[in-house]
Structure formats: C-alpha cells, structure tokens
Amino acid sequence: MKLRQKIILLAIAPLILALCAIALAVRHQATTLGQQQRTSIQSAYLASKEAELTHYVSLATRSIAHLYESGRTDAATLEQAKAILSKLDYGHDGYFFVYDLQGKNIMHPRQPELAGQNLWNLKDADGSPTIQNLISRANAGGGFVRYQWAKPSIHKTAPKLGYVVALPRWGWVLGTGIYLDDVDDALAKIDAQVSGNIQSTMLWIAAIAILSAVAVALSGLVLNISEHRVADAKLKVLAQRVVHSQEEERARLSRDLHDGISQWLVSIKLQIEAGIIKLSGTPEQAASAHLTFERTAALLNDVLGEVRRISHDLRPAILDDLGLAAALEHLAQEFTAHAATATDFNTAGSTDGLSDVANTVLFRVAQEALTNIERHAAASRVSMRLEGNARCVALTVCDDGVGFDIDHIDGHPKRGIGLRNMTERLEAVGGKLSLTSSLNGTTVQATVLRL
C-alpha cells in the first residue's frame, strides 16, 4: 500500500470509529430516554385509570348508599341494590361486579352465567387466584388488584386493573375494573416510535459516515492527482536541469580537452616532428634535437597532470580509496593552490559509515561551494569542517567573502542553479542543506543522516 493511501486510510479510520462511537452513544441515550418516556407515560396513564376507578366505585357506593345505610339485609333490599348496580356501566367493557366473602358471584352484568357460582379457586392465565386476591384486598380496606379476565367486547382474555371495596353489613365485595390492553397498545406504539426514531438516527449517522468517508477519499484522490501533476512538473524541470548540467559538464570537459590537452598534444607533435628532422641533420642539429625532446617530455608531464585533474574532477579516486575526509582534505589543498585562497580543513567525531552515494553527494557539495566562492565571494579565507556523531554527518563550508541575498537568488529563475543542485542532491539521500549569508561571509552546511 502506498504512503498516500495509508494516510487516507488513517484519516478515514478515526472518522468512522468516531462516528460509530457517536452512534452507540446516541443509541444508548435514545433507548434510555425511550424507556424513561415509556415509564412516565405508563405511570401517568395508570394513575389516571386508578383515579377513574376510584371515582366509579365511589359513584356506585353512593348510588346504593340509601339502601346500605338503612340497615336492612332482606332479600328484596339486596335485589334492589343489585338491580341498581347492574344498570351502572360505562362503555362496552365498564361494569360493576359483586362477590360474597366466600367467593360466590352475586352479580355480573356481562357474564350472567357466573351468578351463583363459587369462584374461590379460580385462577387466571398467570396462575394467580383472582377472586381470593379481590376479596383479600377488599377486607384490607379496599384497593387495586391486577389480574387477567375475559374482555366482553372482544371475548378474549386481557390484563385488567380492578378496584374493590367491602360492604361488610351485606357480606359483599363490590368492585369494577378497566382493561389495560389499550394501555399496552399505546405503550407498544411508543416503543415502535422510539425504535423507528433510533433506526432513523442510525441510518442518518451511517449516511453521514459514508458521505464523510467518500469526501475524504475524493479529497485524497484530488490531492493525489494534484501532487502527481506537481511531481510530474518537478520531474520535468529536474530532467531539464539534469540535461542542462550534463551539457554544461560536457562543454567544460570539451573546453578543457580543446584548450589544454589538445593544444599541448599538437605542440608535442610538432616538436617531435622537428626533433626527428634535426636528428637526420648536422651534429649541431642532432644536439638541438636532444633539447627539443626534453621540452617535449616536460610538456608530456603537463599533459598527464591535466588528465589527472580532469579525471579527479569527474570522479576522485581518493574518495573511493581513502574515504571522504581524505578526499575533502585533498580538495582543500587543490583549491588553495588553484584559487590562491587559504583553505583550512579539519574533522571531528566519526565521519565513516556513510554510503558511497552519500559520500559522493557531500564531496560534490563541497566542490560546488568552493566553485561559488571562487566565482562570487572574493574571499580571502575558507574553512571546511567535517564532523559526525551517531545520528548524522555534517559538512560545513565557511568563507569571509562579500555574501549575497539568499531570497533574491532563490527567486531568480536563471541564478542559484548550483544551490538548487546541492539541495536536490542532498534530498535524494535524505539530507538537508542549510545556508546563511551576510556581508561578513557565507556558511553552507550539508547534513546527511546515518542509515
């Protein structure tokens, strides 16, 4: 996987993880709030139902209060009370029922077949003794009882909330109840609504995550394409510089060969030919030929020296044989002799262990720096220092010349080629070029990290 792809992946992964964490937090909060809402609604709904049941039973007891408070317990009075209670209803499923304290049904308007039956041992679908619980609650002063009972309007068992009171003079338990299936339906709708809202929120978060990931990926793609274009443009410029540098090097080598070696070789050829002619002449001419050959030999030595100089400029053998420090010291000595500028060289620390390419880069940087000093600095003294540690090796070249405007040189399209070459050479081996210049001189520092 390429570095850019890894960077894009590292950008998308935290985004997706963050959105997932947000989604989990939102889901947890929404579920908690939904449960709290459900509990609140259920409590409020049941409270209203309980108040309603209390009110209904209060109305029922007041409707027969004149009979109950008369103190009569005869059958006619009890029948009159049952007739009144049987006519009191509220809706299809709202009615009153009466049991005696032994569990026998006295009155049931919606299920008259239960009248006279003893239902003491009756249990609902949950296994709870329904009639026993109702009688027990009534004897305890009255109250609410939950149980399962057949709902008249649908002829199916449904949860019911009953409220009962005792009429001890008659030995009755009077009560009524409200079916809670509509409460369960309302709560089920709330649960479905909450679940739908949570699902919708999760879908929105998922959509946002996908869109964000796509946006990051597209941004990375656009950036990648842009960087590729910039890299291609830089590569073209670099290729042009390489070609230009090669042409300059070839031109310089051509001048060196033409102006130096070629002319000397022509001179040597002419002198040898003249000496050969003199050898076949008089004894005086033969003696003169000897002097001619001596001058020719001296010229040959000069030619050999020029060949060594050109060879050294192309690739110094001492760099491969003795290492970077020795090659730089030799370069300083040559510059002192050639440019007549005092050049000091010293080393510090461990400077070995660099690759051959890195050694060559530092040597070329030193060559370029000395060439610039010779052409532009008008310096009287130059110092070179090579120092190394466990992390890097640094080459520093200082002069006391006139200096130059670094920003002006960097911004000029036709100047600073040597500086750009040094920078690009160092960047190719993971190094860095540092440059400072003022009226008191210039300092060039090249740093290469150890592998």
Side-chain angles (χ1 to χ4, degrees), residues 7-8 17 37-38 51 70 86 103 168 172 179 182 191-192 197 224 256 268 303 308 342 390 406 412 423 429 435 448:
I7 293 175
I8 293 173
L17 291 176
Q37 181 184 14
R38 186 182 193 278
S70 68
S86 64
W172 282 6
Y179 290 93
D182 55 342
D191 293 339
N197 291 337
N224 198 10
D256 289 341
I268 291 170
V303 171
R308 282 195 294 269
I406 297 176
H412 201 287
T423 302
V429 294
L435 182 65
V448 176

Side-chain angles (χ1 to χ4, degrees), residues 43-199:
S43 299
Y45 203 82
L46 289 177
S48 67
K49 294 295 184 182
E50 290 176 354
E52 186 178 353
L53 287 176
T54 304
H55 178 67
Y56 287 154
V57 172
S58 177
L59 288 176
T61 54
R62 283 201 298 270
S63 66
I64 61 172
H66 64 286
L67 298 175
Y68 185 74
E69 292 174 357
S70 68
R72 292 178 294 177
T73 60
D74 57 280
T77 302
L78 297 180
E79 287 296 328
Q80 187 179 357
K82 287 193 293 181
I84 294 173
L85 293 175
S86 64
K87 295 178 181 179
L88 296 176
D89 59 16
Y90 43 97
H92 295 291
D93 301 311
Y95 57 88
F96 292 90
F97 56 81
V98 179
Y99 289 88
D100 66 14
L101 297 179
Q102 287 73 41
K104 185 176 71 173
N105 183 268
I106 303 299
M107 181 199 71
H108 199 295
R110 297 294 187 273
Q111 292 178 284
E113 69 274 7
L114 298 179
Q117 295 186 25
N118 192 314
L119 304 177
W120 180 262
N121 295 320
L122 179 67
K123 295 182 178 181
D124 61 13
D126 297 330
S128 177
T130 304
I131 307 304
Q132 294 180 31
N133 291 337
L134 291 173
I135 295 174
S136 175
R137 177 63 65 183
N139 290 332
F144 299 97
V145 178
R146 284 198 179 195
Y147 56 96
Q148 299 283 335
W149 197 265
K151 188 174 183 180
S153 60
I154 61 175
H155 304 290
K156 291 183 180 179
T157 301
K160 187 175 184 179
L161 176 65
Y163 183 77
V164 291
V165 294
L167 300 176
R169 293 178 187 172
W170 293 349
W172 282 6
V173 172
L174 171 63
T176 188
I178 296 177
Y179 290 93
L180 300 178
D181 53 343
D182 55 342
V183 178
D184 294 338
D185 292 340
L187 294 177
K189 291 180 179 179
I190 293 174
D191 293 339
Q193 184 178 5
V194 170
S195 178
N197 291 337
I198 293 175
Q199 185 177 3

Side-chain angles (χ1 to χ4, degrees), residues 405-417:
D405 187 349
I406 297 176
D407 295 333
H408 177 70
I409 293 297
D410 286 341
H412 201 287
K414 295 185 178 179
R415 296 182 182 180
I417 295 177

